[in-house]
Amino acid sequence: MSALPDEALQALAHLPAPDFLARAIPRVGRVAMVSSFGADSAVLLHMVAQIDRALPVIFIDTLALFPETLAYQRDLAAHLGLTDIRRITPNRNALFTRDPDALLHLSDRESCCQLRKAEPLERALQGFDGWITGRKRFQADTRASLAPVEHEPGTGRIRLNPLAGWRAAEIAAYLDHHGLPRHPLVARGYPSIGCQPCTSPVRTGEDTRAGRWRGSDKTECGIHFIGGMPQSRRKDNAA
């Protein structure tokens, strides 16, 4: 595991996102990108493809995703020439034991996300020194103070958030400039896309993640932690 001091990476945080990634990845060591292949994912995947098309990209297929997301994942990976897509699914025995009817999301959303996303991701990240996320400050109050470099509590891994300071307009401009394909659900009012049962369109004036777990105070799936605990409240815990 990398023992890189914070300062060595923090000094790179001012660089444009592509340069930050290009210089940070080799400093961290063994790095994977984690991508949902969602609404904004093409931006960061394109940057990674310019650096190393063989960089591992972890895609958590919760077995509850939109069919459009699965098709987009295949098409976008081929478009960018990415060669190491690691499709990770929940443990089948755990699903049978804890969610045999695929209805856990109705009674315990935190446990459902833990079973279908957080646990598979933790297995997939074993052996890596760090990972790249596509989180951005503008997405929700829980991400308002997001830093480009984080140390993950409990694991020692480093999280790189190269798009932390980007705004929605910058995302759109990058997609347009590079002619990158959009997720098909974006045009149907889904600016943030997760599992099909827990994702709904966003209404005018709502934040971009308002359609995730609508009707509850849950705002994070649990793969991003502070102090070892998943963030579950939009305003109580800034991340």
Side-chain angles (χ1 to χ4, degrees):
M1 188 67 66
S2 171
L4 188 72
D6 290 344
E7 297 79 14
L9 284 175
Q10 297 293 352
L12 303 177
H14 70 284
L15 296 173
D19 298 328
F20 168 75
L21 268 180
R23 295 181 61 180
I25 289 172
R27 286 177 178 267
V28 173
R30 296 162 295 177
V31 175
M33 178 179 172
V34 175
S35 179
S36 66
F37 284 81
D40 298 336
S41 295
V43 171
L44 196 48
L45 286 163
H46 179 266
M47 291 180 187
V48 166
Q50 307 313 300
I51 297 167
D52 181 3
R53 292 182 178 181
L55 188 92
V57 176
I58 296 171
F59 170 59
I60 305 298
D61 180 357
T62 64
L63 304 180
L65 298 177
F66 287 91
E68 291 89 343
T69 296
L70 299 175
Y72 184 63
Q73 182 272 310
R74 293 189 296 268
D75 294 345
L76 183 58
H79 177 80
L80 296 174
L82 297 166
T83 63
D84 190 2
I85 304 293
R86 304 187 183 188
R87 176 178 169 268
I88 308 298
T89 59
N91 180 278
R92 294 283 181 170
N93 290 333
L95 281 178
F96 180 77
T97 301
R98 294 155 59 186
D99 193 14
D101 301 318
L103 297 176
L104 183 60
H105 66 279
L106 297 177
S107 61
D108 191 342
R109 287 172 166 174
E110 294 288 3
S111 293
C112 186
C113 286
Q114 187 72 15
L115 171 64
R116 293 179 178 271
K117 296 193 75 173
E119 291 176 10
L121 178 60
E122 181 55 35
R123 292 195 304 271
L125 285 173
Q126 293 298 313
F128 287 101
D129 300 317
W131 52 296
I132 303 164
T133 92
R135 291 177 297 159
K136 307 160 198 73
R137 295 173 193 144
F138 79 85
Q139 289 174 319
D141 291 347
T142 52
R143 300 181 177 187
S145 58
L146 181 68
V149 179
E150 300 174 299
H151 276 265
E152 189 172 74
T155 70
R157 284 189 293 259
I158 293 172
R159 283 192 299 235
L160 301 176
N161 308 306
L163 304 183
W166 282 44
R167 305 296 301 174
E170 293 174 278
I171 296 291
Y174 190 99
L175 291 167
D176 288 340
H177 179 74
H178 294 282
L180 296 172
R182 262 69 162 184
H183 192 299
L185 290 179
V186 171
R188 290 160 52 184
Y190 293 82
S192 181
I193 303 159
C195 292
Q196 189 167 10
C198 296
T199 306
S200 60
V202 168
R203 296 184 286 266
T204 301
E206 291 183 318
D207 75 51
T208 59
R209 291 176 62 82
R212 305 288 293 277
W213 308 286
R214 189 178 291 282
S216 75
D217 62 1
K218 180 176 172 62
T219 62
E220 297 282 357
C221 64
I223 65 172
H224 306 294
F225 295 88
I226 290 181
M229 296 297 294
Q231 298 305 284
S232 60
R233 295 185 179 273
R234 188 176 305 275
K235 293 184 179 180
D236 293 349
N237 298 307

